[in-house]
Amino acid sequence: MLTAPHPIDSEALLAAGRRVIETEAAALGQLAASLGPSFVEAIARILAAPGRTIVSGMGKSGHIGRKIAATLASTGTPAMFVHPAEASHGDLGMIAPEDVILLLSNSGETPELADLIAYSRRFAIPLIGVASRPGSTLLRQSDVAILLPPAPEACSVGLAPTTSTTMTLALGDALAVALMEHRHFTPEDFRGFHPGGKLGARLTTVAALMHGGEELPLTTPESPMADALLEMSHKGFGVVGVTDPAGRLVGIVTDGDLRRHMAGLLDRRVAEVMTPGPRTISTTALASEALGVMNANKITTLFAVAPGAPGVPAGILHVHDCLRAGVV
């Protein structure tokens, strides 16, 4: 039964918080030092499985398992979480022989995992076990046994899963990142699994937002300014790019250029009015980088060039395109 709350002791609370973090940090150091052949073998089993990585655990290990499954799935390793209790009531059918199972249990004796272990053995499904007790049922039955180093739980009574869950979570992250690096997983791949929200916006490329083809406002150095003005007005970006006979961008005409050459503007050629050597951005650059260039230079548009055709405009990006996509 909970007792009435005591008066707040700020120093004691801060000391407790720091002790927990220091205890768990020390355990993570032990975990890093303990990684060895079983970690590599676990990754090899996941890579070799043509199916998915099935993650499971009970209680706090289950909560950690859900996060690990989500991290794996979003970083190029197909994965899903299966609750061990539900597995015993039909969800074992979700697991196929092509899969690999990652079971999490601090004690390695969690009774709810028994059916999952037996199912994996019956159908020869590779089983990776993670536990902190050597010789436990889970580790003995696993094809790959990852033993967490002995470390005290961070709670004052040493019972609440704290250090053990932190180590398990870190181990899951380590597996996911190692798999990412082995697969050479790129930011573009990552965006493919995160198309929505702020993360998707941050990973959007210039090519995904730019306007190309007939939308490009372009003219030549020898064109009359009257024609250039019509192009600017028709395309609606407030600028027109100037290209040489080879199609390379050699200049740009902006509203500022028009104001500086108001006297006799319609009697001039584009070459007399344009600003030479305009800034450009690669089509493969992140839109957030393009937005940074525009903000730093107080401009609202950038011509984009493809890496394989340097100097040739492939598109144009307006600051409003970035803002509409949520790029900040």
Side-chain angles (χ1 to χ4, degrees), residues 8-316:
I8 294 294
D9 183 341
S10 299
E11 290 302 317
L13 294 177
L14 286 172
R18 290 172 180 142
R19 183 185 68 251
V20 169
I21 293 172
E22 289 167 358
T23 299
E24 296 190 2
L28 290 179
Q30 290 180 258
L31 176 63
S34 72
L35 293 186
S38 61
F39 180 80
V40 177
E41 177 64 16
I43 291 174
R45 293 279 184 157
I46 293 172
L47 289 169
R52 300 157 301 175
T53 300
I54 306 298
V55 187
S56 189
M58 195 69 190
K60 303 300 186 296
S61 292
H63 294 306
I64 297 300
R66 289 182 186 276
K67 192 275 180 186
I68 292 174
T71 299
L72 288 169
S74 69
T75 54
T77 300
M80 63 178 290
F81 178 83
V82 173
H83 194 285
E86 297 295 338
S88 298
H89 293 274
D91 281 2
L92 283 173
M94 296 180 177
I95 307 172
E98 296 78 20
D99 296 332
V100 58
I101 300 175
L102 175 62
L103 283 191
L104 314 174
S105 170
N106 183 35
S107 66
E109 301 293 346
T110 307
E112 291 85 355
L113 300 185
D115 288 339
L116 273 165
I117 294 173
Y119 188 81
S120 74
R121 303 303 80 189
R122 178 184 176 188
F123 293 100
I125 300 172
L127 176 61
I128 302 168
V130 178
S132 60
R133 294 185 185 176
S136 61
T137 300
L138 173 58
L139 295 188
R140 284 189 289 104
Q141 294 296 326
S142 295
D143 298 295
V144 180
I146 299 179
L147 178 65
L148 298 176
E153 299 289 8
C155 74
S156 57
V157 295
L159 296 175
T162 47
T163 303
S164 58
T165 51
T166 298
M167 286 194 294
T168 306
L169 179 61
L171 177 65
D173 288 341
L175 288 169
V177 172
L179 285 161
M180 281 179 66
E181 293 185 2
H182 176 82
R183 291 190 170 106
H184 302 292
F185 199 74
T186 67
E188 289 74 21
D189 296 324
F190 198 72
R191 181 180 179 274
F193 295 110
H194 299 79
K198 291 294 183 183
L199 184 55
R202 285 174 53 197
L203 295 173
T204 299
T205 62
V206 169
L209 299 181
M210 71 183 191
H211 305 264
E214 293 298 318
E215 294 184 87
L216 269 176
L218 297 174
T219 187
T220 65
E222 298 306 315
S223 296
M225 275 305 301
D227 292 347
L229 287 171
L230 287 174
E231 180 76 354
M232 289 176 68
S233 177
H234 178 63
K235 300 299 174 63
F237 292 100
V239 300
V240 62
V242 186
T243 56
D244 65 13
R248 293 185 295 266
L249 191 70
V250 295
I252 189 172
V253 178
T254 68
D255 289 337
D257 295 316
L258 299 182
R259 289 192 296 271
R260 285 188 290 272
H261 297 87
M262 283 297 292
L265 178 64
L266 296 181
D267 297 326
R268 297 175 183 266
R269 297 288 177 179
V270 169
E272 301 174 65
V273 178
M274 73 179 193
T275 297
R279 291 180 178 84
T280 61
I281 190 82
S282 171
T283 55
T284 60
L286 294 180
S288 55
E289 179 185 345
L291 184 60
V293 172
M294 287 188 272
N295 287 336
N297 293 281
K298 296 181 174 59
I299 56 178
T300 59
T301 55
L302 273 176
F303 279 94
V305 296
V312 178
I316 187 170

